[in-house]
Amino acid sequence: MAHIVVDPVTRIEGHLRVEAEVEGGQVTQAWSSSTMFRGIELILKGRDPRDAWAFAQRICGVCTTVHAIASVRAVERAIGAIPPPNARLLRNLIMSAQVVQDHVVHFYHLHALDWVDIVNALKADPAKTSSLAQSISDWPLSSTTYFTGVRDRIKAFVERGQLGPFANAYWGHPAYRLPPEANLMAVAHYLEALDWQRRFIRIHAILGGKNPHLQSFLVGGMATPVDPDSQDALNMETIAALDKLVSDGVKFVSQVYLPDVLAVASFYKDWASIGAGIGNYMCYGEYPLDDGEKPELMLLPGIIRARELSKVESVDQSHVSEWITHSWYEYSVGDEKGLSPFEGETSPHFTGPKPPFERLDVGQKYSWLKSPRYDGAPMEVGPLARMLVAYASGRPARVKELVDLTLTKLGVGPQALFSTLGRIAARSIEALVLVESMDRWVRGLADNMSRRDYAIQDNSKWDPSTWPSECYGAGFHEAPRGSLGHWVHIKNGAIVNYQCVVPSTWNAGPRDAKGQPGPYEAALVGTPVANPEQPLEILRTLHSFDPCMACGVHVVDVTKRDLARLRVS
Amino acid sequence: MFGQSLAQELEYRGISRRDFLGFCSSMAAVLGLPAAATEAIAAAVENEARPILVWLEFQDCAGNTESFLRATHPTVADLILDSISLNYHETIMAAAGHQAEGALKDTVRDNQGKYIALVEGSIPTGADGAYCTIGGRSALEIAREVCGGAAATIAVGTCAAFGGIPAAAPNPTGALSVADAVPGVKNLINMSACPANAENITALIVYYMTLKRWPPLDRYRRPLFAYGKSIHDNCERRAHFDAGQYVEAWGDEAHRHGHCLYKMGCKGPATSQNCPVVKWNEGTNWPIGCGHPCLGCAEPNFWDTMTPFYKRLPNVAGFDVGSWVDPVGLSLTGLAAAAAAAHGIGEISRARLGKRPSVEEKAGSE
């Protein structure tokens, strides 16, 4: 039996460490540990709730919009502000652009090198690569000349002997299975995606001033002015620019990203039965299609348990509890109990080995992440959970259509979705569904302008003197990596308590008091490991979740009585 | 420190001489150099070689990494990314675990005093360093070793430069800037802002490769080419400030027509950065261009000194002058206000708003 430590887990956001036992060529047990803590919720205490989005946004610079969105929603619920229709459309565009760009970057720049052997691409025949590319897509960059150029660039890079970020990797590992031509095509698209993401994210600059860390959010709406008769507002010129960026996005996702996922997956079908893990999936729902208290959502909320697609349960936030039995925190009621987020406590208390250390004592506390549970059960959140809920619900129809198409093309059944490969496929399907939806929100803005509706903000609640002296609110969002919630308690215009329950906490958290592993830990069990010195296969399953550790580490500090007063959206 | 000449890179990458000169020309503009500098930059970039960089992430959000990935002039930015040898960067590198640690260790050992360290995120000192460990080692230990052996250290983003959000009150983890955590490192340069603008990071590297020295810095160790003027002085809405035309409510007529955001809490008068000139994301836009006030994110302790963000800065010279001044006197008054703003406002507001960091006293320098 070998005990493997992977630290740092690279090609992720943040600081993740995994320890695993390997026996008989596969993982038998795994432990997920987050090794960084900042305490942003503590820093938020006492501050102006209208500033909270900017602080919370800095939880993560990769999913740079998600905590800002959850934050303004939470404060709006607390003070009773109602964003106007233009703000909803602007936010939908910002959120969907974030998901689409993030998914593409994840596949090509954070995940692809687990499946694609760059060095092997040098052996590719550019003419055969061209045939391969043209057989799976109409994407125009597919000529023999084009792939010859890419191959020669990579060849020159490798021959120079300075591999930079590609040094010391796992090239030639037996688990790499793509033919040289597929490797070359994927490397070409790695480089193209690097350019594409930079262009596509201009949507955020248009609507948010800059990316990362957009700066147009307001409690009660958005700061982006809308006026077709001004050069200092969203006008027809910017609508046209958005149109162009969105249609280019549809092309890239449908002609490059999705075909590449299918092409790569077809060589790794065994990974459709590896990495399932927990088998429970949760989604809060997202993308309001109208305004008001209970808007219709494009992606539905729901829970699927034990991989049972015939039944979708509704979600009730009051069933959430958090455990710290194996986390570096203390509870006044003892560390063996779970607490509802509304009753949660904050006491960071590091009991691990003093750095530098070789091993964590995984029988004790071993992570800065807590362990969220729903009805005491671990839940996987993220694109797979969202697509499963949509697939099982039959809405939106486009999801069902794309999932069925993917399964048919790969010649596998729906059970294949519960896997490492299933997460990758779900992410690409979601990217296409969302980028195709953006057009209607751009048109929605234009329609409002045609009606001379330029409102972007509920100014009636801007002044804190209009707020209740004490109020509570919760805001939810489906971030690229899954279900996100922020809770805020406001008193006399200042934040008393602030709390986030975050996607990567759900997925990457450690064991709970009952010893139930979290989704990462469970998914790693059974993962093959050809060479314990080279943890390539472990990275495959971990990366399929798209880890985002800075998001995952948070502090709960809400008092007991908050529960009764909470207004949940 | 130097490997292969970049002239060959151009050839390998099929980048035309014309594209390349275009890039050098825009770099000259970012750096505020005369047009004649284009050829000098081209010669320098072509003939010199590839500095080795290692990029460390500590108490970070990866926002500066993401910003770096948005560097403009796509094809030539690829050239620059590949033309430096980026030997360690956790978010990008293919290797993980021991192989990743090995890449860093080898680079530091084989290139003592020659490589450039970039640091993203603050460095926690609480809990014996347990608030941030990588490979079981504390951020502080890694920073001492890597920055200590570097030819220069670039603190990218406000967290590394000044402590940033983890160091905001009550600073639960004892987070420090690079300057305070690792005093005495050679050639420390602070590229603050949240995140740092990719154009400025790239410009700094080109500056070094072209002029073979590091740029002059302000009192917070920030390069003058990017932080030498206040947002207010370069703001496209400055005329509205001088004319007394202010946004009073979100979405009002003044807001829709690009009037001054000062009354909505804009921190542009107290913030030094080139956002209005360089802008963001291929020059697409910037926060004020999007109707939102500047948050002051390039300034030390801005999370404490610039908040509440929507509260008006005190004592900004020239405020409300335009509402009573006669049209003939307007331009002169405006000039006077501009001069006052350029020379004193940042100081006044900082002194009023709160403490300043000990960056200058503690930072090492050559």
Side-chain angles (χ1 to χ4, degrees):
Chain A
M1 189 185 70
H3 188 94
I4 299 180
V5 176
V6 188
D7 181 6
V9 174
T10 52
R11 282 181 282 127
I12 64 163
E13 195 294 321
H15 301 284
L16 172 65
R17 172 189 180 97
V18 163
E19 298 198 13
E21 311 235 299
V22 175
E23 196 163 7
Q26 57 178 5
V27 174
T28 53
Q29 288 205 78
W31 297 268
S32 159
S33 170
S34 173
T35 62
M36 193 272 275
F37 172 82
R38 285 174 294 176
I40 287 177
E41 294 87 341
L42 293 171
I43 292 164
L44 273 163
K45 284 187 179 190
R47 300 193 186 254
D48 187 329
R50 295 171 301 177
D51 290 354
W53 69 262
F55 284 78
Q57 181 181 39
R58 268 64 182 187
I59 290 173
C60 187
V62 175
C63 42
T64 171
T65 58
V66 309
H67 294 284
I69 290 278
S71 181
V72 291
R73 284 177 170 174
V75 176
E76 283 160 2
R77 291 297 301 180
I79 65 172
I82 299 165
N86 281 326
R88 170 177 58 83
L89 293 165
L90 290 166
R91 289 178 186 179
N92 278 0
L93 282 168
I94 285 172
M95 293 186 293
S96 52
Q98 171 75 57
V99 173
V100 172
Q101 190 259 4
D102 211 353
H103 284 0
V104 170
V105 169
H106 172 263
F107 179 70
Y108 287 101
H109 307 120
L110 304 183
H111 203 8
L113 300 182
D114 299 337
W115 312 96
V116 174
D117 185 335
I118 294 185
V119 177
N120 177 268
L122 299 178
K123 295 182 188 152
D125 175 348
K128 283 188 194 163
T129 310
S130 171
S131 304
L132 169 68
Q134 289 172 3
S135 74
I136 63 168
S137 170
D138 294 334
W139 186 244
L141 285 174
S142 64
S143 70
T144 303
T145 315
Y146 173 69
F147 287 115
T148 305
V150 174
R151 188 197 58 184
D152 291 349
R153 282 177 69 180
I154 302 303
K155 187 161 178 278
F157 178 78
V158 171
E159 284 177 353
R160 232 168 28 215
Q162 276 185 291
L163 285 179
F166 307 109
N168 264 23
Y170 313 111
W171 318 126
H173 190 287
Y176 282 119
R177 225 177 287 148
L178 295 185
E181 286 72 26
N183 279 320
L184 179 58
M185 183 180 74
V187 169
H189 293 167
Y190 177 105
L191 297 171
E192 285 177 45
L194 203 52
D195 283 347
W196 176 84
Q197 58 89 22
R198 177 174 42 230
R199 292 195 302 271
F200 183 73
I201 212 62
R202 289 183 59 233
I203 292 171
H204 277 179
I206 291 169
L207 303 177
K210 69 181 171 99
N211 170 291
H213 295 328
L214 288 70
Q215 201 165 309
S216 59
F217 298 100
L218 292 174
V219 165
M222 295 293 291
T224 320
V226 172
D227 187 339
D229 303 315
S230 168
Q231 61 183 336
D232 299 295
L234 278 191
N235 54 26
M236 287 306 123
E237 189 272 324
T238 40
I239 290 288
L242 290 170
D243 264 338
K244 169 78 173 130
L245 289 163
V246 167
S247 66
D248 285 352
V250 172
K251 276 184 207 148
F252 191 85
V253 172
S254 63
Q255 295 183 12
V256 183
Y257 179 22
L258 222 61
D260 278 358
V261 167
L262 287 170
V264 170
S266 68
F267 290 97
Y268 291 104
K269 283 191 204 170
D270 48 331
W271 286 84
S273 55
I274 296 171
I278 293 299
N280 302 326
Y281 302 89
M282 183 174 76
C283 169
Y284 289 161
E286 189 54 275
Y287 303 103
L289 300 176
D290 49 36
D291 301 282
E293 287 272 312
K294 291 273 179 196
E296 185 191 343
L297 299 174
M298 190 178 88
L299 295 178
L300 301 173
I303 283 177
I304 289 170
R305 284 184 201 263
R307 300 174 208 170
E308 185 47 70
L309 286 173
S310 62
K311 190 180 169 209
V312 180
E313 287 176 39
S314 58
V315 184
D316 179 349
Q317 276 298 321
S318 66
H319 294 221
V320 173
S321 60
E322 292 207 295
W323 302 73
I324 55 148
T325 314
H326 290 282
S327 315
W328 288 312
Y329 302 93
E330 288 178 323
Y331 277 171
S332 61
V333 294
D335 296 355
E336 303 298 315
K337 287 190 177 173
L339 291 178
S340 147
F342 318 126
E343 304 169 311
E345 297 174 9
T346 303
S347 297
H349 182 58
F350 184 74
T351 53
K354 185 178 170 181
F357 55 82
E358 294 292 324
R359 292 266 292 263
L360 291 171
D361 184 352
V362 293
Q364 305 296 317
K365 292 172 181 275
Y366 61 88
S367 181
W368 283 115
L369 295 183
K370 295 188 176 186
S371 314
R373 296 291 183 261
Y374 188 90
D375 281 342
M379 289 283 156
E380 177 175 338
V381 298
L384 177 58
R386 288 192 288 262
M387 293 302 99
L388 287 174
V389 169
Y391 185 65
S393 311
R395 286 175 52 206
R398 183 68 169 143
V399 170
K400 180 145 176 53
E401 184 189 336
L402 287 169
V403 170
D404 284 335
L405 185 74
T406 303
L407 296 175
T408 306
K409 284 204 170 181
L410 292 175
V412 293
Q415 287 299 312
L417 294 167
F418 308 115
S419 68
T420 297
L421 216 50
R423 287 183 198 100
I424 299 169
R427 198 171 279 113
S428 65
I429 289 166
E430 181 175 66
L432 185 56
V433 170
L434 286 179
V435 77
E436 287 175 346
S437 305
M438 292 176 72
D439 170 56
R440 78 158 106 168
W441 297 320
V442 175
R443 276 187 284 113
L445 285 170
D447 289 347
N448 286 352
M449 285 192 220
S450 76
R451 286 194 294 271
R452 299 181 194 279
D453 172 7
Y454 308 149
I456 50 172
Q457 166 76 3
D458 178 358
N459 284 315
S460 72
K461 297 287 181 184
W462 183 249
D463 186 342
S465 68
T466 63
W467 305 349
S469 63
E470 189 168 13
C471 51
Y472 300 77
F476 300 105
H477 172 42
E478 278 294 328
R481 291 159 188 82
S483 311
L484 169 65
H486 282 204
W487 285 259
V488 65
H489 172 195
I490 298 165
K491 195 170 180 180
N492 300 326
I495 294 171
V496 178
N497 275 309
Y498 202 94
Q499 178 203 353
C500 319
V501 180
V502 180
S504 288
T505 321
W506 282 101
N507 287 339
R511 283 160 174 71
D512 57 29
K514 289 188 229 162
Q516 297 183 101
Y520 284 13
E521 299 179 327
L524 283 171
V525 173
T527 294
V529 178
N531 175 1
E533 295 296 309
Q534 298 198 326
L536 179 63
E537 302 95 330
I538 288 177
L539 293 176
R540 285 180 177 173
T541 292
L542 280 177
H543 283 153
S544 74
F545 285 94
D546 194 3
C548 192
M549 307 317 294
C551 283
V553 180
H554 68 96
V555 171
V556 178
D557 198 351
V558 189
T559 54
K560 207 167 190 171
R561 61 201 163 81
D562 295 4
L563 177 58
R565 297 181 177 180
L566 190 88
R567 299 170 58 183
V568 180
S569 61
Chain B
M1 124 181 260
F2 299 126
Q4 169 121 353
S5 152
L6 292 195
Q8 285 161 281
E9 290 278 348
L10 287 167
E11 206 182 307
Y12 289 142
R13 291 169 192 289
I15 289 160
S16 75
R17 173 96 190 144
R18 191 162 162 245
D19 287 347
F20 180 66
L21 286 177
F23 164 78
C24 295
S25 163
S26 39
M27 270 301 144
V30 171
L31 294 167
L33 299 173
T38 301
E39 280 298 329
I41 291 177
V45 175
E46 280 175 321
N47 297 330
E48 291 304 329
R50 312 171 345 117
I52 293 169
L53 271 70
V54 297
W55 184 303
L56 306 173
E57 292 171 280
F58 296 133
Q59 280 180 307
D60 73 317
C61 71
N64 294 285
T65 293
E66 287 283 339
S67 184
F68 194 48
L69 294 179
R70 312 275 189 273
T72 59
H73 309 286
T75 316
V76 190
D78 269 359
L79 163 70
I80 292 299
L81 275 171
D82 288 332
S83 308
I84 54 186
S85 191
L86 186 58
N87 287 13
Y88 186 86
H89 192 315
E90 285 179 48
T91 308
I92 295 165
M93 66 195 303
H98 297 309
Q99 287 81 17
E101 288 186 289
L104 180 61
K105 199 173 146 193
D106 293 349
T107 299
V108 169
R109 184 193 58 214
D110 298 342
N111 301 280
Q112 272 292 309
K114 295 177 185 170
Y115 61 88
I116 297 168
L118 293 100
V119 180
E120 176 174 9
S122 54
I123 298 171
T125 55
D128 286 331
Y131 290 127
C132 181
T133 64
I134 299 154
R137 300 167 71 205
S138 71
L140 185 59
E141 182 190 343
I142 296 168
R144 278 182 181 141
E145 180 185 309
V146 176
C147 300
T153 295
I154 303 169
V156 187
T158 297
C159 291
F162 304 127
I165 193 164
N171 192 352
T173 60
L176 296 178
S177 65
V178 173
D180 287 343
V182 196
V185 297
K186 268 170 76 177
N187 293 317
L188 175 66
I189 296 170
N190 286 328
M191 300 297 284
S192 59
C194 190
N197 193 329
E199 311 300 352
N200 292 335
I201 304 170
T202 317
L204 176 62
I205 293 166
V206 172
Y207 187 107
Y208 173 69
M209 292 172 74
T210 307
L211 304 178
K212 301 181 188 61
R213 55 181 158 82
W214 294 105
L217 309 175
D218 71 3
R219 66 203 183 100
Y220 297 121
R221 304 200 64 81
R222 303 178 299 190
L224 294 178
F225 72 76
Y227 304 88
K229 280 190 174 180
S230 78
I231 297 265
H232 192 54
D233 285 347
N234 278 328
C235 184
E236 65 210 14
R237 302 189 177 197
R238 180 56 185 268
H240 294 294
F241 175 86
D242 293 339
Q245 296 170 323
Y246 302 104
V247 176
E248 304 282 347
W250 308 110
D252 71 5
E253 175 109 4
H255 190 224
R256 296 204 308 277
H257 286 88
H259 291 186
C260 179
L261 290 159
Y262 170 69
K263 284 187 173 179
M264 307 308 279
C266 187
K267 304 301 185 290
T271 306
S272 297
Q273 219 202 159
N274 57 355
C275 288
V277 180
V278 176
K279 300 194 175 177
W280 290 78
N281 304 95
E282 310 196 349
T284 301
N285 205 352
W286 66 302
I288 288 173
C290 200
H292 194 282
C294 169
L295 301 181
C297 73
E299 296 304 306
N301 300 333
F302 81 98
W303 295 105
D304 292 328
T305 60
M306 301 290 187
T307 49
F309 287 130
Y310 300 100
K311 192 175 173 186
R312 187 188 303 180
L313 273 175
N315 295 348
V316 172
F319 171 57
D320 231 10
V321 172
S323 61
W324 54 266
V325 80
D326 66 66
V328 180
L330 192 60
S331 60
L332 276 176
T333 314
L335 282 174
H343 291 113
I345 300 313
E347 286 299 326
I348 292 164
S349 52
R350 265 184 218 106
R352 285 181 58 91
L353 288 170
K355 60 180 181 173
R356 57 176 299 280
S358 54
V359 170
E360 217 170 8
E361 300 79 36
K362 294 196 178 177
S365 157
E366 274 195 348

